[in-house]
Amino acid sequence: MPSETPLLLRHHRPFIAFWLARIFTASGFQMLTVAIGWNLYQLTGNVLDLGLVGLVEFVPRVLFMLHTGHVADRYERRRVAAICQTLQALIALVLVIGSLTDNVTREMIFILAFLLGAARSFELPTTQALLPSIVPSALFPRAVAAAQSAQQSATIVAPALGGLLYAFGSAWVYGPTVLLYLIACLLTLNLPARQTPLNKGKATLDSLLAGIRFIRSRPDILGAISLDLFAVLLGGATALLPVFAKDILLTGPWGLGLLRSAPAVGALVMSLWLARFAVDRHVGRVMFTAVGVFGVATIAFGLSTSFWFSLAVLVVLGAADMISMVIRASFVQLETPDEMRGRVSAVNGLFIGASNQLGEFESGVTAHWLGTVPAVVLGGVGTLVVTGVWIKLFPTLAKRDRMHTPPETP
C-alpha cells in the first residue's frame, strides 16, 4: 500500500465517529465491570459470586446467538447498536440511583448483569457488521486494526480509571458510564445509513441457521474461526496469572496488575502498527505463524521464573494474538456478503466468547489436576498441535495470499 493510504483512514469522518463510539462503549463496559465486581464483593464477600457474574453476562450470548445475527441483518444497524448502547446507559443509571439510595442488592446486580450481557450480545455482531459499510474494502484491514486499538486502549486505561473513581463511591463510576454510553449512541446514530437493501425475511429457523450454514460452506472462514476457538481454548493462561504472580514469580498485587496489562499492551502496540502497515500478502501464512508464536509464548511463560521475562513474553503473546485476530476478522467480513454479515458475526462472536470463557475454565481444571506450570505448558503445546493440524485440514487457508478473493469473471 502507498504511504499516504493511512492518512485516508484518519481523515475518513464516518470511521472516526465509529472509532470514538468504540472507545466510549468499551470504556463504559470496562468501568462498569470493575464497579459491579467491587460492588458485589462488598455486598457478599463471596468469590464465587464474581465468577457467576461473568457467567450470567455470557449466557445471553448463547441464548440469543441466532437472533442477534438476524436482527443485525434485517434492521438498520446504526439504530440497533444505538438501542443497545442506550440500554446499557439505562443499566448504569439504575446502578447510580441504587448507589445513591443505598438500594443495590445481589439480586439486582445479577439481573442487570444479564441485561448487560443481552445488550452486548446484540451490539457486538451489529457493530462488526457495520464497519465494512463505513470504509472502502481496501482500507478495511487497517480499519479493523484501528478499531482494535480503541478496544485495547480502553482495556488498559478504563479499569484503572474505574478503580480510581470507585474510591469516591460507586456512583462516581456508574455516573460517568451513563454519559459515555450516551455519547457513543449519538455518534453511532450519525454514521452513514446502510446502502444495501435490508433483509425483509422473517425470523424462521432456516433464516436463523443461515449464518452457520454459510460458515460451513466456506472452508477458509470455518478454518479461521475454529482455529481461534481451539488455540485460545488451549492456550489461555490469564486465569492462572494470580497463581503465577504469588507462588512462582513471587510478586505482589502490583505485579499481578502488570502481568494482566501486558497482553493488552502488546495487542495495542501491534494494532497501531497494523493500522499503519496492513498485512496485504501471504495472510494465511502470517496468521498461522502468529498463532504458532502465541503457543510458543505460552510455553515460555509457563516455564519462566523471571518476572520481567514473563512480562515481556506476555507482551509478545498479546501482539501475536492481535495479528491473527485482525487477519481473521478482516477476511471473514470481506468474504461475507453484507446481507449475511450480522449472522456470521454472531456465530463468530459466540466462538470468541466461548474460547475465552471455556479457556479459563479449562486452564483451571488442568491446573487442578496437573499443577499450574504443566497446565500452561501443555496448553501452549496444544496450541502448536492445533496449528499444525489446521494447516493440514485447511490447506487453502494456510496458502491464502490476500484478505479478499474477488469472484472470478467468466
Side-chain angles (χ1 to χ4, degrees):
M1 286 296 222
S3 60
E4 66 270 18
T5 301
L7 295 176
L8 295 175
L9 184 60
R10 288 201 295 271
H11 291 287
H12 200 278
R13 294 183 63 183
F15 176 75
I16 295 300
F18 178 90
W19 190 86
L20 290 172
R22 188 75 176 265
I23 278 277
F24 289 129
T25 54
S27 298
F29 175 71
Q30 294 291 337
M31 292 173 64
L32 203 56
T33 301
V34 167
I36 286 176
W38 275 106
N39 212 164
L40 182 61
Y41 193 65
Q42 282 182 327
L43 286 172
T44 69
N46 190 344
V47 178
L48 179 60
D49 283 343
L50 300 179
L52 289 176
V53 166
L55 180 62
V56 168
E57 287 182 8
F58 178 70
V59 165
R61 185 173 293 183
V62 179
L63 293 178
F64 306 130
M65 177 193 74
L66 298 176
H67 295 84
T68 56
H70 184 82
V71 168
D73 286 334
R74 180 170 185 180
Y75 299 102
E76 176 60 57
R77 289 167 182 158
R78 298 176 306 161
R79 294 175 183 173
V80 173
I83 290 172
C84 294
Q85 290 156 2
T86 301
L87 176 58
Q88 291 170 84
L90 291 174
I91 291 170
L93 181 60
V94 170
L95 287 167
V96 171
I97 297 172
S99 297
L100 293 176
T101 58
D102 199 25
N103 284 321
V104 176
T105 65
R106 176 179 182 270
E107 291 72 22
M108 175 194 290
I109 288 178
F110 278 118
I111 292 172
L112 293 178
F114 180 86
L115 294 176
L116 179 64
R120 284 177 57 79
S121 69
F122 281 89
E123 180 192 15
L124 295 178
T126 301
T127 53
Q128 288 177 9
L130 187 62
L131 183 56
S133 63
I134 294 176
V135 297
S137 59
L139 290 176
F140 186 68
R142 288 183 169 87
V144 171
Q148 282 301 314
S149 72
Q151 180 74 34
Q152 297 302 325
S153 298
T155 302
I156 295 170
V157 176
L161 178 59
L164 178 64
L165 292 174
Y166 199 94
F168 300 97
S170 57
W172 285 85
V173 185
Y174 297 135
T177 301
V178 176
L179 184 60
L180 290 173
Y181 278 122
L182 291 179
I183 294 174
C185 177
L186 293 175
L187 289 168
T188 301
L189 288 174
N190 282 310
L191 293 175
R194 185 172 175 177
Q195 300 299 315
T196 56
L198 297 175
N199 178 8
K200 297 297 184 180
K202 295 182 179 179
T204 63
L205 181 61
D206 183 71
S207 171
L208 296 175
L209 293 174
I212 296 176
R213 288 200 305 271
F214 177 83
I215 291 174
R216 290 183 59 187
S217 69
R218 301 295 180 95
D220 284 7
I221 294 178
L222 175 62
I225 292 177
S226 57
L227 173 66
D228 176 76
L229 170 63
F230 288 104
V232 176
L233 178 65
L234 294 173
T238 54
L240 302 177
L241 286 181
V243 182
F244 275 90
K246 182 176 182 296
D247 298 333
I248 297 174
L249 302 177
L250 306 178
T251 184
W254 68 274
L256 175 60
L258 289 178
L259 291 172
R260 286 195 176 278
S261 298
V265 170
L268 174 60
V269 172
M270 183 54 66
S271 65
L272 294 173
W273 174 269
L274 293 175
R276 181 66 177 84
F277 304 102
V279 178
D280 296 320
R281 302 295 302 273
H282 311 299
V283 295
R285 185 191 309 168
V286 173
M287 183 179 69
F288 276 103
T289 301
V291 176
V293 171
F294 179 89
V296 172
T298 301
I299 296 171
F301 175 76
L303 296 175
S304 172
T305 57
S306 165
F307 173 75
W308 295 108
F309 180 75
S310 297
L311 207 62
V313 166
L314 288 176
V315 171
V316 173
L317 183 147
D321 188 44
M322 178 56 60
I323 294 172
S324 65
M325 191 286 302
V326 168
I327 293 176
R328 183 185 67 255
S330 298
F331 95 77
V332 168
Q333 290 288 349
L334 291 173
E335 291 287 286
T336 304
D338 186 69
E339 66 273 10
M340 289 290 300
R341 281 182 177 139
R343 282 165 284 184
V344 171
S345 295
V347 177
N348 188 29
L350 179 65
F351 273 51
I352 294 172
S355 64
N356 291 329
Q357 298 287 335
L358 295 179
E360 293 185 0
F361 176 73
E362 179 271 336
S363 296
V365 171
T366 309
H368 178 72
W369 287 345
L370 304 176
T372 303
V373 171
V376 173
V377 172
L378 186 62
V381 172
T383 298
L384 294 178
V385 171
V386 167
T387 302
V389 171
W390 256 239
I391 290 175
K392 295 294 185 182
L393 291 177
F394 301 95
T396 58
L397 176 61
K399 298 175 182 177
R400 188 181 186 91
D401 185 45
R402 295 186 179 274
M403 292 288 186
H404 179 51
T405 305
E408 295 182 1
T409 55

